[in-house]
DNA sequence: ATGGTCGTTACACGA
């Protein structure tokens, strides 16, 4: 079973590229971030005709997340439990494959947090704390659980092309890296680094020719509970999706690329 | 040397 995450930066602007990727990558489950539309504006039909059940936690202009699954989904949650939030940044559901054990899948769009310090940074700190608490509570159930998405956190210096230049950025500040380590210390494991033993990026800014210079960041992650990690088979990053020369030339790429993992 | 991001929205903001 293949589970993917992708910050698409507008479902409307990106639709042809997204559908091409779905037809090629064929994820069983995919969480999308920054869909930038309300629930009713999400093009559910395009995914339903490909066999997906569609769950949306939308928001106009900013944010918005979705959960797509070829398998039945139950217990859908919108928003981080216990965290009052006007912004649509989290969706979760329990996926029931026909011939495998179920797995709870969370789709995350963490606040960016810039500029730091300031109210946006404070919001990010509060969100990270609430998400950590939700992860901790979820782990008590001791079943397969993962949170995939745009964490907006660079884990280590290997995850940024210019660590010194980014040291005060909300994506790389010590408090953000600490928050991610706190999640890992709960017992969660990051899927891609477990199997890919080299640095990698998942985001390249639109500005400054970042893609051509490979000025990337590693900010999209899949964190797995021990029970999910035990079932991990493969994991990867579809970096080609960032290349304007590859794929649908009429549609510009997202600044993020899909990150995925497969489970037995 | 020149211009040098994108998406949504509306003439600015967030990333």
């Amino acid at each position: 079973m293949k589970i993917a995450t992708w910050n698409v930066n507008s479902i409307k602007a990106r639709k042809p590229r997204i559908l091409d990727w779905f037809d090629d990558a064929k994820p069983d489950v995919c969480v999308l971030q920054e869909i930038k539309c309300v629930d009713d504006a999400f093009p559910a039909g395009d995914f339903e005709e490909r066999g997906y059940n569609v769950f949306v936690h939308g928001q106009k202009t900013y944010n918005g997340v979705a959960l797509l699954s070829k398998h039945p989904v139950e217990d859908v949650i919108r928003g981080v439990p216990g965290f009052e939030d006007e912004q649509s940044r989290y969706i979760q559901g329990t996926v029931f494959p026909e011939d495998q054990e179920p797995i709870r899948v969370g789709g995350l769009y963490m606040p960016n947090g810039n500029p730091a310090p300031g109210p946006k940074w404070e919001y990010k700190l509060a969100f990270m704390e609430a998400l950590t608490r939700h992860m901790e509570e979820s782990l008590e159930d001791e079943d397969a659980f993962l949170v995939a998405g745009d964490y907006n956190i660079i884990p280590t210096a290997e995850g940024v092309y210019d660590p010194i230049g980014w040291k005060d950025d909300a994506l790389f500040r010590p408090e953000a890296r600490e928050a991610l380590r706190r999640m890992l210390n709960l017992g969660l494991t990051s899927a891609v680094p477990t199997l890919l033993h080299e640095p990698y990026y998942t985001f390249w800014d639109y500005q400054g020719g970042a893609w051509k210079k490979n000025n990337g960041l590693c900010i999209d992650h899949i964190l797995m509970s021990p029970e999910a990690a035990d079932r991990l088979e493969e994991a990867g990053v579809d970096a080609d999706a960032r290349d304007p020369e590859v794929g649908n030339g009429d549609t510009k790429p997202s600044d993020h690329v899909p990150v995925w993992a497969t489970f037995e």
Side-chain angles (χ1 to χ4, degrees):
Chain A
M1 176 176 51
K2 185 174 189 177
I3 301 178
T5 174
W6 194 5
N7 180 324
V8 295
N9 185 19
S10 169
I11 187 87
K12 185 169 172 230
R14 211 71 58 213
K15 202 172 87 165
R17 273 184 182 267
I18 295 170
L19 294 177
D20 284 352
W21 179 80
F22 267 78
D23 291 338
D24 186 42
K26 297 181 173 62
D28 292 273
V29 180
C30 186
V31 288
L32 301 177
Q33 300 89 37
E34 281 204 85
I35 59 172
K36 295 188 173 179
C37 68
V38 296
D39 293 10
D40 289 345
F42 189 88
D46 289 303
F47 295 95
E48 285 164 353
E49 69 188 26
R50 287 168 168 80
Y52 291 91
N53 301 301
V54 177
F55 304 90
V56 181
H57 184 31
Q59 187 182 331
K60 183 184 163 187
T61 311
Y62 307 118
N63 314 313
V65 290
L67 168 63
L68 312 175
S69 173
K70 286 193 170 179
H71 308 296
V73 179
E74 292 181 15
D75 302 323
V76 174
I77 295 168
R78 290 171 174 81
V80 175
F83 185 66
E84 288 283 330
D85 196 352
E86 296 188 350
Q87 304 187 23
S88 300
R89 295 183 172 278
Y90 188 78
I91 189 167
Q92 179 185 310
T94 307
V95 175
F96 289 84
E98 288 73 9
D99 52 359
Q100 291 176 260
E101 290 297 305
I103 181 166
R104 274 182 296 163
V105 176
L108 167 70
Y109 178 42
M110 180 77 78
N112 176 293
N114 281 307
K120 292 184 176 174
W121 172 243
E122 295 300 320
Y123 170 57
K124 182 176 193 172
L125 291 174
F127 194 105
M128 291 190 295
E129 188 180 338
L131 178 65
T132 305
R133 194 160 52 237
H134 174 59
M135 288 168 160
E136 187 172 20
E137 288 171 0
S138 300
L139 284 166
E140 290 173 3
D141 294 339
E142 298 187 346
D143 55 18
F145 168 67
L146 63 80
V147 177
D150 177 0
Y151 280 70
N152 267 322
I153 301 173
I154 301 161
T156 69
E158 284 194 334
V160 49
Y161 64 94
D162 176 15
I164 303 301
W166 281 74
K167 68 181 174 57
D168 294 324
D169 191 278
L171 278 58
F172 195 49
R173 284 170 69 100
E175 298 94 327
R177 286 183 279 128
E178 277 168 27
L180 185 63
R181 287 201 303 276
R182 212 170 293 127
M183 295 173 193
L184 296 170
N185 290 341
L186 295 172
L188 296 167
T189 307
S190 186
V192 175
T194 299
L195 300 176
L196 182 71
H197 299 294
E198 60 187 24
Y200 65 97
Y201 299 138
T202 67
F203 165 95
W204 294 259
D205 201 280
Y206 287 125
Q207 299 185 63
W211 167 252
K212 288 210 161 180
K213 297 177 193 165
N214 196 28
N215 286 349
L217 306 175
C218 180
I219 53 177
D220 300 87
H221 312 296
I222 300 173
L223 300 196
M224 313 169 293
S225 75
E227 295 77 10
D230 284 345
R231 291 162 56 182
L232 179 68
E233 290 182 323
E234 293 182 82
V237 176
D238 289 352
D240 272 0
R242 183 62 183 84
D243 194 336
E245 310 299 323
V246 173
N248 189 309
D250 296 332
T251 310
K252 289 173 172 152
S254 172
D255 40 4
H256 295 251
V257 296
V259 176
W260 54 269
T262 65
F263 298 87
E264 62 183 12

